[in-house]
Amino acid sequence: MARIVQKFGGTSVADLDCIRNVARRVKTEVDAGHEVAVVVSAMSGATNQLVDWASDIGSLHDAREYDTVVATGEQVTVGLLAIALQNIGIDARSWLGWQIPIRSDNVHGAARIDSIDGWAIHDRLKNGQVAVIAGFQGIGPDSRITTFGRGGSDTSAVAVAAALQADRCDIYTDVEGVFTTDPRIAPKAKKLSRITFEEMLEMASSGAKVLQTRSVAMAMRHNVNLQVRSSFNDITGTLVVNEDSVVEQETISGIAYSPDEAKITIIGLPDKPGIAAGVFGALADQQVNVDMIVQSASSATKKTDISFSVGRDDLKKAVDIINKIETDLEFESVDASPNVAKISVVGTAMRTQPGVAKTMFETLASKGVNMHVISTSEIKISVLIDSEYTELAVRSLHTAYGLDNDS
Ligand code: ADP
Ligand code: ASP
Ligand code: MG
């Protein structure tokens, strides 16, 4: 007998038939004698609708009320799944974040889980009851409802698995596992049987939304046995594992893309110490996250340009901040582009194998794709390109690194 956490994403609970399908999958594990906790997302599209309502109702944004609204999608699906389970003879009850409780900090919209009191659920599981837990939501220090950022049910599931010391955490979704790239834009993508936590972390943070980045970091920290698989068939999925359990490694394990980027270039800054600190300090003070940065100075003019990327949602805010510090920084102009995407190649073996960057740059050049900003980490190279080339770049790189599934 094992203790299992099953997480079902939005497309897996998209309508009543899908929820009945989920109930059957839960029953299979219960019938096999396992203790089961299920974490569910809202029906697909529901959270988008709630986010739109919360922003369209008025110009004032109260993040606490935003969370009160957007957390409701999961309340619907936990209740429905509990009823569906009861209808097929399974003892089940629903749990909202505050009822467990899943305690978080008070960063509404992107809260971090501090602790989960697993005792009440632990006792019910021992007595054969299935716990149906609302993903994405918790309760803050001031007893207000919080949410964990888009895709946050993955993190709820991993956190519940860690708190309940589950033997497995299975993430059920609309694809059969983690692929070498998003199978929706590259039909030749291959399913990986295993991926290391480190690579998955880089893939997720570079845009592969199959797992929320925080869920991977948490699984890595708590050694959670994590698998991604399909809700719609029984094919074995992808195991997310420690590096030492992967015997042989391709140079590149995957290509990720993030379409929601924007680029800002500040032109004609004085080339002297403290300028970059002034720019990025001002942005950080206002909670604007900067990702990639490139600076090009000219010794002839003693001027420098700085280009950097931010999330597209932060573009206007970032430009306003830069314009406010214009007199202090004495730059010539600022240029903003919302139509850029970040393409990343990821692979642990990059550490030891030269030529990875060369292949990337040559491939993009051969397709006429211009790179605006480049950044690297030990196991990742990312470039910023014009959005219109996203699919072309992903597919060409996929082929260039020998990742295509030709079967
Ligand atoms: P859920 O609603 O189940 O949480 P998501 O939409 O959040 O599902 O994540 C699954 C989606 O992630 C897939 O439909 C796929 O388009 C996308 N995706 C992006 N990159 C990858 C990848 N490398 N492997 C698998 N899926 C990926
Ligand atoms: N329903 C939330 C969202 O759409 C959480 C999740 O699906 O993981 O972001
Ligand atoms: Mg998701």
Side-chain angles (χ1 to χ4, degrees), residues 141-201:
D142 53 358
S143 298
R144 304 286 305 255
I145 289 170
T146 56
T147 63
F148 307 146
R150 299 306 306 271
S153 298
D154 297 329
T155 302
S156 305
V158 170
V160 165
L164 295 175
Q165 296 180 329
D167 299 286
R168 272 171 28 213
C169 179
D170 294 338
I171 306 285
Y172 287 84
T173 184
D174 57 357
V175 287
E176 284 168 9
V178 180
F179 284 67
T180 44
T181 191
D182 186 345
R184 295 199 191 287
I185 75 158
K188 290 187 172 175
K190 272 188 293 204
K191 189 182 76 190
L192 299 163
S193 56
R194 285 158 179 257
I195 184 166
T196 67
F197 280 114
E198 231 185 336
E199 288 168 331
M200 192 61 239
L201 207 53

Short mmCIF file of all heavy atoms in Angstrom, two decimals, residues 141-201:
data_model
loop_
_atom_site.label_atom_id
_atom_site.label_comp_id
_atom_site.label_asym_id
_atom_site.label_seq_id
_atom_site.Cartn_x
_atom_site.Cartn_y
_atom_site.Cartn_z
N PRO A 141 -1.17 35.14 6.62
CA PRO A 141 -1.03 35.38 8.06
C PRO A 141 -2.19 36.19 8.64
O PRO A 141 -2.49 36.08 9.82
CB PRO A 141 0.28 36.16 8.19
CG PRO A 141 0.80 36.36 6.82
CD PRO A 141 -0.06 35.66 5.84
N ASP A 142 -2.85 36.98 7.79
CA ASP A 142 -3.98 37.78 8.27
C ASP A 142 -5.31 37.08 7.98
O ASP A 142 -6.36 37.73 7.93
CB ASP A 142 -3.94 39.16 7.59
CG ASP A 142 -3.85 39.04 6.07
OD1 ASP A 142 -3.78 37.89 5.56
OD2 ASP A 142 -3.86 40.07 5.37
N SER A 143 -5.25 35.78 7.77
CA SER A 143 -6.46 34.96 7.51
C SER A 143 -7.18 35.29 6.21
O SER A 143 -8.34 34.95 6.04
CB SER A 143 -7.47 35.04 8.67
OG SER A 143 -6.89 34.54 9.83
N ARG A 144 -6.48 35.97 5.30
CA ARG A 144 -7.09 36.22 3.99
C ARG A 144 -6.67 35.11 3.02
O ARG A 144 -5.58 34.54 3.15
CB ARG A 144 -6.60 37.58 3.41
CG ARG A 144 -6.84 38.79 4.29
CD ARG A 144 -8.27 39.23 4.34
NE ARG A 144 -8.90 39.49 3.06
CZ ARG A 144 -9.17 40.70 2.56
NH1 ARG A 144 -8.83 41.78 3.23
NH2 ARG A 144 -9.78 40.83 1.41
N ILE A 145 -7.54 34.86 2.01
CA ILE A 145 -7.23 33.83 1.01
C ILE A 145 -6.08 34.32 0.11
O ILE A 145 -6.06 35.49 -0.29
CB ILE A 145 -8.48 33.51 0.18
CG1 ILE A 145 -9.46 32.74 1.06
CG2 ILE A 145 -8.14 32.70 -1.07
CD1 ILE A 145 -10.82 32.55 0.47
N THR A 146 -5.15 33.43 -0.17
CA THR A 146 -4.03 33.77 -1.06
C THR A 146 -4.01 32.79 -2.24
O THR A 146 -4.59 31.71 -2.15
CB THR A 146 -2.68 33.64 -0.32
OG1 THR A 146 -2.57 32.31 0.20
CG2 THR A 146 -2.56 34.66 0.80
N THR A 147 -3.35 33.20 -3.34
CA THR A 147 -3.11 32.25 -4.43
C THR A 147 -1.62 32.24 -4.78
O THR A 147 -0.89 33.18 -4.47
CB THR A 147 -3.96 32.57 -5.69
OG1 THR A 147 -3.58 33.85 -6.20
CG2 THR A 147 -5.44 32.53 -5.40
N PHE A 148 -1.22 31.15 -5.44
CA PHE A 148 0.22 30.87 -5.59
C PHE A 148 0.79 31.18 -6.97
O PHE A 148 1.83 30.66 -7.34
CB PHE A 148 0.48 29.39 -5.27
CG PHE A 148 -0.06 28.96 -3.94
CD1 PHE A 148 -0.56 27.68 -3.74
CD2 PHE A 148 -0.08 29.84 -2.86
CE1 PHE A 148 -1.07 27.29 -2.52
CE2 PHE A 148 -0.58 29.46 -1.62
CZ PHE A 148 -1.08 28.18 -1.45
N GLY A 149 0.11 32.02 -7.76
CA GLY A 149 0.60 32.35 -9.11
C GLY A 149 0.03 31.37 -10.11
O GLY A 149 -0.35 30.24 -9.75
N ARG A 150 -0.05 31.80 -11.40
CA ARG A 150 -0.65 30.95 -12.43
C ARG A 150 0.08 29.61 -12.52
O ARG A 150 1.31 29.56 -12.46
CB ARG A 150 -0.66 31.67 -13.77
CG ARG A 150 -1.45 32.96 -13.79
CD ARG A 150 -2.90 32.80 -13.29
NE ARG A 150 -3.67 31.78 -13.97
CZ ARG A 150 -4.40 31.97 -15.06
NH1 ARG A 150 -4.45 33.18 -15.60
NH2 ARG A 150 -5.08 30.99 -15.61
N GLY A 151 -0.69 28.57 -12.65
CA GLY A 151 -0.10 27.22 -12.66
C GLY A 151 0.21 26.71 -11.27
O GLY A 151 0.85 25.65 -11.11
N GLY A 152 -0.26 27.42 -10.24
CA GLY A 152 0.15 27.13 -8.86
C GLY A 152 -0.38 25.84 -8.27
O GLY A 152 0.08 25.42 -7.20
N SER A 153 -1.32 25.17 -8.94
CA SER A 153 -1.80 23.90 -8.38
C SER A 153 -0.70 22.83 -8.39
O SER A 153 -0.74 21.91 -7.57
CB SER A 153 -2.99 23.37 -9.20
OG SER A 153 -4.04 24.26 -9.13
N ASP A 154 0.25 22.96 -9.31
CA ASP A 154 1.38 22.01 -9.30
C ASP A 154 2.12 22.13 -7.97
O ASP A 154 2.50 21.13 -7.35
CB ASP A 154 2.37 22.32 -10.44
CG ASP A 154 1.75 22.15 -11.82
OD1 ASP A 154 0.86 21.31 -11.96
OD2 ASP A 154 2.16 22.89 -12.75
N THR A 155 2.31 23.38 -7.55
CA THR A 155 3.04 23.62 -6.30
C THR A 155 2.22 23.13 -5.11
O THR A 155 2.77 22.53 -4.17
CB THR A 155 3.38 25.11 -6.18
OG1 THR A 155 4.15 25.46 -7.33
CG2 THR A 155 4.19 25.41 -4.93
N SER A 156 0.89 23.34 -5.17
CA SER A 156 0.04 22.81 -4.09
C SER A 156 0.23 21.30 -3.98
O SER A 156 0.37 20.76 -2.88
CB SER A 156 -1.44 23.07 -4.39
OG SER A 156 -1.68 24.42 -4.62
N ALA A 157 0.22 20.63 -5.13
CA ALA A 157 0.30 19.16 -5.12
C ALA A 157 1.63 18.68 -4.52
O ALA A 157 1.65 17.77 -3.68
CB ALA A 157 0.15 18.62 -6.55
N VAL A 158 2.71 19.32 -4.93
CA VAL A 158 4.02 18.89 -4.42
C VAL A 158 4.12 19.19 -2.92
O VAL A 158 4.62 18.38 -2.14
CB VAL A 158 5.16 19.60 -5.21
CG1 VAL A 158 6.50 19.35 -4.55
CG2 VAL A 158 5.17 19.11 -6.65
N ALA A 159 3.59 20.34 -2.51
CA ALA A 159 3.64 20.70 -1.09
C ALA A 159 2.81 19.72 -0.26
O ALA A 159 3.23 19.30 0.83
CB ALA A 159 3.13 22.13 -0.90
N VAL A 160 1.65 19.33 -0.78
CA VAL A 160 0.81 18.36 -0.06
C VAL A 160 1.54 17.01 0.00
O VAL A 160 1.58 16.35 1.04
CB VAL A 160 -0.57 18.22 -0.76
CG1 VAL A 160 -1.31 16.99 -0.27
CG2 VAL A 160 -1.41 19.48 -0.52
N ALA A 161 2.17 16.62 -1.11
CA ALA A 161 2.91 15.35 -1.13
C ALA A 161 4.03 15.36 -0.10
O ALA A 161 4.25 14.37 0.62
CB ALA A 161 3.47 15.09 -2.53
N ALA A 162 4.72 16.51 0.01
CA ALA A 162 5.81 16.60 0.99
C ALA A 162 5.23 16.54 2.41
O ALA A 162 5.74 15.81 3.27
CB ALA A 162 6.61 17.89 0.77
N ALA A 163 4.15 17.27 2.65
CA ALA A 163 3.57 17.32 3.99
C ALA A 163 3.02 15.96 4.43
O ALA A 163 3.11 15.59 5.59
CB ALA A 163 2.47 18.37 4.05
N LEU A 164 2.45 15.22 3.47
CA LEU A 164 1.85 13.92 3.81
C LEU A 164 2.87 12.78 3.67
O LEU A 164 2.53 11.62 3.84
CB LEU A 164 0.66 13.62 2.89
CG LEU A 164 -0.55 14.54 3.00
CD1 LEU A 164 -1.59 14.18 1.93
CD2 LEU A 164 -1.19 14.42 4.39
N GLN A 165 4.11 13.14 3.34
CA GLN A 165 5.16 12.15 3.09
C GLN A 165 4.66 11.07 2.12
O GLN A 165 4.78 9.86 2.39
CB GLN A 165 5.63 11.54 4.40
CG GLN A 165 6.28 12.62 5.26
CD GLN A 165 6.78 12.10 6.59
OE1 GLN A 165 6.22 11.17 7.15
NE2 GLN A 165 7.84 12.70 7.08
N ALA A 166 4.10 11.54 1.02
CA ALA A 166 3.53 10.62 0.03
C ALA A 166 4.64 9.85 -0.68
O ALA A 166 5.75 10.35 -0.84
CB ALA A 166 2.70 11.40 -0.98
N ASP A 167 4.32 8.66 -1.12
CA ASP A 167 5.30 7.87 -1.88
C ASP A 167 5.45 8.39 -3.30
O ASP A 167 6.50 8.23 -3.91
CB ASP A 167 4.85 6.40 -1.92
CG ASP A 167 4.75 5.82 -0.52
OD1 ASP A 167 5.80 5.56 0.07
OD2 ASP A 167 3.62 5.71 0.00
N ARG A 168 4.37 8.98 -3.84
CA ARG A 168 4.42 9.48 -5.22
C ARG A 168 3.59 10.73 -5.36
O ARG A 168 2.59 10.89 -4.66
CB ARG A 168 3.79 8.45 -6.16
CG ARG A 168 4.73 7.41 -6.68
CD ARG A 168 4.01 6.28 -7.43
NE ARG A 168 2.76 6.61 -8.08
CZ ARG A 168 1.77 5.72 -8.19
NH1 ARG A 168 1.88 4.51 -7.68
NH2 ARG A 168 0.66 6.05 -8.82
N CYS A 169 3.98 11.61 -6.29
CA CYS A 169 3.13 12.74 -6.66
C CYS A 169 2.99 12.69 -8.19
O CYS A 169 3.96 12.91 -8.92
CB CYS A 169 3.77 14.06 -6.22
SG CYS A 169 2.80 15.50 -6.66
N ASP A 170 1.80 12.33 -8.65
CA ASP A 170 1.57 12.19 -10.09
C ASP A 170 0.83 13.42 -10.61
O ASP A 170 -0.27 13.72 -10.14
CB ASP A 170 0.73 10.94 -10.38
CG ASP A 170 1.49 9.67 -10.01
OD1 ASP A 170 2.74 9.71 -9.94
OD2 ASP A 170 0.83 8.62 -9.79
N ILE A 171 1.45 14.11 -11.57
CA ILE A 171 0.83 15.31 -12.16
C ILE A 171 0.16 14.88 -13.47
O ILE A 171 0.86 14.53 -14.44
CB ILE A 171 1.90 16.40 -12.45
CG1 ILE A 171 2.74 16.72 -11.20
CG2 ILE A 171 1.27 17.64 -13.07
CD1 ILE A 171 2.05 17.54 -10.14
N TYR A 172 -1.15 14.85 -13.47
CA TYR A 172 -1.90 14.46 -14.67
C TYR A 172 -2.24 15.70 -15.49
O TYR A 172 -2.77 16.68 -14.95
CB TYR A 172 -3.20 13.77 -14.28
CG TYR A 172 -3.02 12.38 -13.73
CD1 TYR A 172 -2.72 12.17 -12.39
CD2 TYR A 172 -3.15 11.26 -14.54
CE1 TYR A 172 -2.55 10.90 -11.87
CE2 TYR A 172 -2.99 9.98 -14.04
CZ TYR A 172 -2.69 9.81 -12.71
OH TYR A 172 -2.53 8.53 -12.20
N THR A 173 -1.94 15.65 -16.80
CA THR A 173 -2.20 16.82 -17.63
C THR A 173 -2.68 16.40 -19.01
O THR A 173 -3.10 15.25 -19.21
CB THR A 173 -0.95 17.74 -17.65
OG1 THR A 173 -1.25 18.91 -18.38
CG2 THR A 173 0.27 17.05 -18.24
N ASP A 174 -2.61 17.34 -19.98
CA ASP A 174 -3.17 17.05 -21.31
C ASP A 174 -2.11 16.59 -22.30
O ASP A 174 -2.39 16.47 -23.49
CB ASP A 174 -3.93 18.27 -21.85
CG ASP A 174 -3.06 19.51 -21.91
OD1 ASP A 174 -1.89 19.44 -21.48
OD2 ASP A 174 -3.54 20.55 -22.39
N VAL A 175 -0.88 16.37 -21.84
CA VAL A 175 0.16 15.76 -22.69
C VAL A 175 0.72 14.56 -21.93
O VAL A 175 0.48 14.42 -20.73
CB VAL A 175 1.29 16.78 -23.04
CG1 VAL A 175 0.81 17.80 -24.05
CG2 VAL A 175 1.83 17.46 -21.79
N GLU A 176 1.48 13.69 -22.65
CA GLU A 176 1.86 12.42 -22.02
C GLU A 176 3.09 12.51 -21.11
O GLU A 176 3.56 11.50 -20.60
CB GLU A 176 2.09 11.37 -23.11
CG GLU A 176 0.78 10.87 -23.67
CD GLU A 176 0.93 10.05 -24.94
OE1 GLU A 176 2.08 9.73 -25.32
OE2 GLU A 176 -0.10 9.75 -25.57
N GLY A 177 3.63 13.70 -20.93
CA GLY A 177 4.79 13.84 -20.06
C GLY A 177 5.52 15.11 -20.42
O GLY A 177 4.97 16.01 -21.06
N VAL A 178 6.80 15.17 -20.02
CA VAL A 178 7.63 16.31 -20.40
C VAL A 178 8.30 15.95 -21.72
O VAL A 178 8.89 14.87 -21.85
CB VAL A 178 8.69 16.61 -19.32
CG1 VAL A 178 9.55 17.79 -19.74
CG2 VAL A 178 8.04 16.85 -17.96
N PHE A 179 8.19 16.81 -22.69
CA PHE A 179 8.75 16.57 -24.02
C PHE A 179 10.00 17.42 -24.22
O PHE A 179 10.27 18.36 -23.46
CB PHE A 179 7.71 16.92 -25.10
CG PHE A 179 6.63 15.89 -25.26
CD1 PHE A 179 5.70 15.67 -24.25
CD2 PHE A 179 6.54 15.13 -26.42
CE1 PHE A 179 4.70 14.71 -24.40
CE2 PHE A 179 5.54 14.17 -26.58
CZ PHE A 179 4.62 13.97 -25.56
N THR A 180 10.74 17.10 -25.29
CA THR A 180 11.95 17.85 -25.61
C THR A 180 11.64 19.32 -25.91
O THR A 180 12.50 20.18 -25.80
CB THR A 180 12.67 17.22 -26.81
OG1 THR A 180 11.67 16.91 -27.80
CG2 THR A 180 13.42 15.95 -26.42
N THR A 181 10.43 19.58 -26.33
CA THR A 181 9.91 20.95 -26.40
C THR A 181 8.40 20.87 -26.39
O THR A 181 7.84 19.76 -26.36
CB THR A 181 10.45 21.72 -27.63
OG1 THR A 181 10.12 23.11 -27.46
CG2 THR A 181 9.85 21.21 -28.94
N ASP A 182 7.73 22.01 -26.41
CA ASP A 182 6.26 21.98 -26.34
C ASP A 182 5.69 21.23 -27.55
O ASP A 182 5.82 21.68 -28.69
CB ASP A 182 5.75 23.43 -26.33
CG ASP A 182 4.25 23.50 -26.10
OD1 ASP A 182 3.58 22.46 -26.23
OD2 ASP A 182 3.76 24.60 -25.81
N PRO A 183 5.06 20.07 -27.33
CA PRO A 183 4.56 19.28 -28.47
C PRO A 183 3.49 20.03 -29.27
O PRO A 183 3.21 19.67 -30.40
CB PRO A 183 3.98 18.03 -27.81
CG PRO A 183 3.81 18.35 -26.36
CD PRO A 183 4.78 19.43 -26.03
N ARG A 184 2.92 21.06 -28.68
CA ARG A 184 1.89 21.81 -29.42
C ARG A 184 2.48 22.68 -30.52
O ARG A 184 1.81 23.01 -31.48
CB ARG A 184 1.10 22.71 -28.47
CG ARG A 184 0.34 21.89 -27.52
CD ARG A 184 -0.80 22.58 -26.85
NE ARG A 184 -1.24 21.71 -25.78
CZ ARG A 184 -1.92 20.58 -25.97
NH1 ARG A 184 -2.29 20.21 -27.18
NH2 ARG A 184 -2.24 19.81 -24.95
N ILE A 185 3.74 23.07 -30.39
CA ILE A 185 4.30 23.87 -31.48
C ILE A 185 5.35 23.09 -32.29
O ILE A 185 5.72 23.51 -33.37
CB ILE A 185 4.83 25.26 -31.04
CG1 ILE A 185 6.15 25.16 -30.31
CG2 ILE A 185 3.82 26.03 -30.24
CD1 ILE A 185 6.88 26.50 -30.38
N ALA A 186 5.83 22.00 -31.75
CA ALA A 186 6.80 21.19 -32.50
C ALA A 186 6.31 19.74 -32.53
O ALA A 186 6.52 18.98 -31.59
CB ALA A 186 8.18 21.27 -31.85
N PRO A 187 5.65 19.36 -33.61
CA PRO A 187 5.07 18.01 -33.67
C PRO A 187 6.13 16.91 -33.56
O PRO A 187 5.80 15.78 -33.23
CB PRO A 187 4.40 17.98 -35.05
CG PRO A 187 4.28 19.40 -35.48
CD PRO A 187 5.35 20.17 -34.80
N LYS A 188 7.40 17.24 -33.82
CA LYS A 188 8.44 16.21 -33.72
C LYS A 188 9.04 16.11 -32.32
O LYS A 188 10.05 15.44 -32.12
CB LYS A 188 9.53 16.50 -34.74
CG LYS A 188 9.07 16.27 -36.17
CD LYS A 188 10.20 16.39 -37.14
CE LYS A 188 9.74 15.95 -38.53
NZ LYS A 188 10.77 16.17 -39.53
N ALA A 189 8.45 16.78 -31.36
CA ALA A 189 8.97 16.71 -29.98
C ALA A 189 8.88 15.27 -29.47
O ALA A 189 7.95 14.55 -29.80
CB ALA A 189 8.15 17.64 -29.08
N LYS A 190 9.88 14.89 -28.67
CA LYS A 190 9.90 13.52 -28.12
C LYS A 190 9.60 13.55 -26.64
O LYS A 190 10.07 14.45 -25.93
CB LYS A 190 11.33 12.95 -28.25
CG LYS A 190 11.60 12.25 -29.55
CD LYS A 190 12.95 11.56 -29.52
CE LYS A 190 14.13 12.52 -29.46
NZ LYS A 190 15.39 12.05 -29.94
N LYS A 191 8.89 12.54 -26.18
CA LYS A 191 8.64 12.48 -24.73
C LYS A 191 9.90 11.97 -24.03
O LYS A 191 10.54 11.03 -24.51
CB LYS A 191 7.47 11.54 -24.43
CG LYS A 191 7.05 11.63 -22.98
CD LYS A 191 5.94 10.67 -22.67
CE LYS A 191 6.47 9.27 -22.55
NZ LYS A 191 5.44 8.26 -22.48
N LEU A 192 10.27 12.61 -22.94
CA LEU A 192 11.44 12.18 -22.18
C LEU A 192 10.98 11.17 -21.13
O LEU A 192 9.97 11.41 -20.46
CB LEU A 192 12.09 13.38 -21.49
CG LEU A 192 12.61 14.48 -22.43
CD1 LEU A 192 12.85 15.79 -21.67
CD2 LEU A 192 13.90 14.02 -23.10
N SER A 193 11.71 10.06 -20.98
CA SER A 193 11.30 9.12 -19.92
C SER A 193 11.73 9.66 -18.57
O SER A 193 11.08 9.44 -17.55
CB SER A 193 11.87 7.73 -20.18
OG SER A 193 13.25 7.81 -20.30
N ARG A 194 12.86 10.40 -18.55
CA ARG A 194 13.34 11.03 -17.32
C ARG A 194 13.89 12.41 -17.63
O ARG A 194 14.43 12.63 -18.71
CB ARG A 194 14.53 10.23 -16.74
CG ARG A 194 14.12 8.98 -16.09
CD ARG A 194 15.29 8.01 -16.02
NE ARG A 194 14.82 6.83 -15.35
CZ ARG A 194 15.08 6.53 -14.09
NH1 ARG A 194 15.91 7.28 -13.38
NH2 ARG A 194 14.57 5.47 -13.53
N ILE A 195 13.80 13.29 -16.67
CA ILE A 195 14.47 14.60 -16.77
C ILE A 195 14.97 14.94 -15.37
O ILE A 195 14.31 14.59 -14.38
CB ILE A 195 13.53 15.69 -17.35
CG1 ILE A 195 14.27 17.01 -17.55
CG2 ILE A 195 12.30 15.91 -16.47
CD1 ILE A 195 13.52 18.05 -18.40
N THR A 196 16.14 15.57 -15.27
CA THR A 196 16.65 15.89 -13.93
C THR A 196 15.90 17.11 -13.38
O THR A 196 15.37 17.93 -14.13
CB THR A 196 18.16 16.21 -13.94
OG1 THR A 196 18.36 17.41 -14.67
CG2 THR A 196 18.97 15.09 -14.58
N PHE A 197 15.87 17.19 -12.05
CA PHE A 197 15.22 18.34 -11.40
C PHE A 197 15.80 19.65 -11.93
O PHE A 197 15.09 20.60 -12.20
CB PHE A 197 15.45 18.30 -9.88
CG PHE A 197 14.53 17.34 -9.18
CD1 PHE A 197 15.03 16.22 -8.55
CD2 PHE A 197 13.17 17.58 -9.13
CE1 PHE A 197 14.19 15.34 -7.88
CE2 PHE A 197 12.31 16.71 -8.47
CZ PHE A 197 12.83 15.59 -7.85
N GLU A 198 17.13 19.67 -12.05
CA GLU A 198 17.80 20.90 -12.47
C GLU A 198 17.36 21.33 -13.87
O GLU A 198 17.07 22.50 -14.12
CB GLU A 198 19.30 20.61 -12.49
CG GLU A 198 20.10 21.62 -11.75
CD GLU A 198 21.57 21.33 -11.92
OE1 GLU A 198 21.94 20.17 -12.20
OE2 GLU A 198 22.34 22.29 -11.79
N GLU A 199 17.31 20.34 -14.79
CA GLU A 199 16.88 20.66 -16.15
C GLU A 199 15.41 21.09 -16.17
O GLU A 199 15.04 22.03 -16.86
CB GLU A 199 17.07 19.45 -17.06
CG GLU A 199 18.52 19.17 -17.39
CD GLU A 199 18.71 17.82 -18.06
OE1 GLU A 199 17.91 16.89 -17.81
OE2 GLU A 199 19.66 17.67 -18.83
N MET A 200 14.61 20.40 -15.41
CA MET A 200 13.17 20.73 -15.37
C MET A 200 12.98 22.13 -14.81
O MET A 200 12.14 22.90 -15.28
CB MET A 200 12.43 19.69 -14.52
CG MET A 200 10.93 19.76 -14.65
SD MET A 200 10.32 19.47 -16.33
CE MET A 200 9.44 20.97 -16.72
N LEU A 201 13.80 22.47 -13.83
CA LEU A 201 13.74 23.82 -13.25
C LEU A 201 14.05 24.87 -14.30
O LEU A 201 13.35 25.88 -14.44
CB LEU A 201 14.78 23.88 -12.12
CG LEU A 201 14.58 24.82 -10.96
CD1 LEU A 201 13.22 24.63 -10.32
CD2 LEU A 201 15.67 24.58 -9.91
#
